[in-house]
Amino acid sequence: MGKVLIFGHQNPDTDAIGAAIAFANLQKELGVDAEAVALGTPNEETQFALDHFGLTAPRVVDKIAAETSDVMLVDHNEFQQSVADIEELNILAVVDHHRIANFQTANPLYYRAEPVGCTSTIVLKLYKENTIAIPAKIAGMMLSAIVSDTLLFKSPTCTQEDIDAANELAQIANVDLNGYGLDLLKAGTNLGDKSEAELLDLDAKSFPMADKTVRIAQVNTVDLDEVFARQEALRDAMLAENSENGYDLFLLLVTNILNSDSELLVAGEPRAMVTEAFNVQLKNDRAFLPGVVSRKKQVVPQLTAAFDK
């Protein structure tokens, strides 16, 4: 076996990059020639964490088959969220906390999936199971991933395991958990200097639902009105993405990290699925979703159920 590349999903968030860095380090300690790579550049939140802990962002790759055949996936499994040539690669391992869908391999593999709020929580377990110490810098990156994925423990995806892991990692990284966590989340809400296309690409994933392709993007903010002041331009950009990439329905979930509510902007069809999924009526292409902060737990399952009826 040659070099093994380890990576998270497209449009990587802090967990996709942090878990890749942490899992690659673990594999190296276990004797594997492993390297963390990324399927996109870090967003501002992730870069804040990398800078804070003195880590270099993984190099960005578009395709992998020309470089190596062996890969490990973190924080995703669905092929449409992975590297472009994923079907040509030999997947040796997956560590994930999402649903399993659109995934298949030709060979047996190590697969670790747990219903926790963050992949890095699972990676911490793997370090402990292999009795390998976590370097402080990497512990800080893993902590950042947990804070990001759970919105500092406010998300319904958060479990006690995530909270315990975050506290343990904060001690290793020697940071104040709540103070650092809030600074991290705020670093990801600087949206004013980004174009509409950049906003839609910050944290977006595609999901097959029935015979449709649904694109769901999420942005965090401390001011919903600041984002929706650009509603017309955002809707036009979403429709353009639908046309260019074959998406049927595009949803932008704008989440207020201070009060844990979200507002949805919808472009495309079938819009009736949104009404069905969330029991709301769209007004001016928008719907307010009180208490909704998690795409994984509060948006994707509900939409999938609506499409499957």
Side-chain angles (χ1 to χ4, degrees):
M1 181 172 63
K3 174 170 278 193
V4 176
L5 297 186
I6 300 176
F7 51 90
H9 50 76
Q10 297 172 15
N11 302 315
D13 57 11
T14 304
D15 192 30
I17 288 181
I21 291 172
F23 194 52
N25 181 74
L26 174 62
Q27 292 301 317
K28 289 177 187 176
E29 292 291 329
L30 294 173
V32 177
D33 182 13
E35 179 190 358
V37 295
L39 305 187
T41 56
N43 60 37
E44 287 184 279
E45 177 194 273
T46 307
Q47 192 61 55
F48 177 90
L50 291 166
D51 292 342
H52 187 93
F53 294 106
L55 291 169
T56 301
R59 64 186 174 95
V60 176
V61 298
D62 296 316
K63 294 183 178 180
I64 287 176
E67 183 176 352
T68 185
S69 60
D70 294 324
V71 298
M72 297 180 182
L73 313 185
V74 296
D75 199 32
H76 76 295
N77 66 82
E78 299 187 49
F79 278 14
Q80 75 275 6
Q81 298 173 9
S82 198
V83 72
D85 54 356
I86 186 65
E87 294 186 11
E88 302 174 37
L89 304 172
N90 180 33
I91 303 172
L92 300 175
V94 176
V95 182
D96 192 17
H97 68 133
H98 295 93
R99 70 176 191 174
I100 300 172
N102 189 28
F103 178 84
Q104 58 199 22
T105 63
N107 300 309
L109 75 161
Y110 177 86
Y111 201 110
R112 183 75 168 260
E114 298 186 20
V116 293
C118 182
T119 305
S120 290
T121 297
I122 308 170
V123 176
L124 172 61
K125 292 184 182 182
L126 295 175
Y127 271 91
K128 296 167 86 168
E129 289 167 10
N130 287 281
T131 61
I132 292 174
I134 305 174
K137 292 181 178 181
I138 292 179
M141 200 66 207
M142 295 168 69
L143 164 66
S144 302
I146 296 172
V147 168
S148 175
D149 267 14
T150 67
L151 286 179
L152 199 53
F153 316 133
K154 291 181 179 179
S155 171
T157 62
C158 183
T159 68
Q160 188 60 47
E161 289 185 67
D162 297 296
I163 296 171
D164 293 343
N167 280 282
E168 182 175 345
L169 291 164
Q171 289 188 342
I172 299 171
N174 193 29
V175 297
D176 175 73
L177 173 54
N178 289 317
Y180 171 74
L182 190 57
D183 288 342
L184 175 76
L185 293 178
K186 286 182 177 178
T189 64
N190 181 23
L191 308 176
D193 61 348
K194 293 179 173 59
S195 69
E196 285 73 29
E198 288 171 329
L199 281 179
L200 295 176
D201 206 40
L202 280 175
D203 182 8
K205 295 180 179 180
S206 300
F207 301 89
M209 297 186 185
D211 61 344
K212 305 295 184 182
T213 298
V214 180
R215 184 76 163 173
I216 308 175
Q218 183 171 20
V219 297
N220 292 335
T221 184
V222 294
D223 185 0
L224 291 176
D225 290 339
E226 178 187 8
V227 178
F228 281 98
R230 306 165 65 177
Q231 176 176 333
E232 186 174 348
L234 283 167
R235 184 181 56 231
D236 290 346
M238 293 161 71
L239 290 171
E241 290 259 357
N242 287 353
S243 178
E244 292 169 12
N245 298 292
Y247 310 139
D248 297 286
L249 185 64
F250 199 128
L251 278 60
L252 173 62
L253 185 71
V254 185
T255 300
N256 187 322
I257 63 170
L258 298 182
N259 61 20
S260 301
D261 293 325
S262 294
E263 192 151 1
L264 201 61
L265 180 63
V266 179
E269 295 291 346
R271 300 157 63 86
M273 294 298 100
V274 178
T275 299
E276 174 75 22
F278 305 110
N279 193 28
V280 294
Q281 294 297 321
L282 293 176
K283 296 181 180 179
N284 192 24
D285 301 320
R286 291 162 59 174
F288 185 67
L289 304 179
V292 171
V293 297
S294 171
R295 173 176 52 199
K296 180 179 74 172
K297 194 166 186 177
Q298 295 174 296
V299 177
V300 173
Q302 290 78 359
L303 273 173
T304 300
F307 272 93
D308 287 345
K309 283 186 178 180

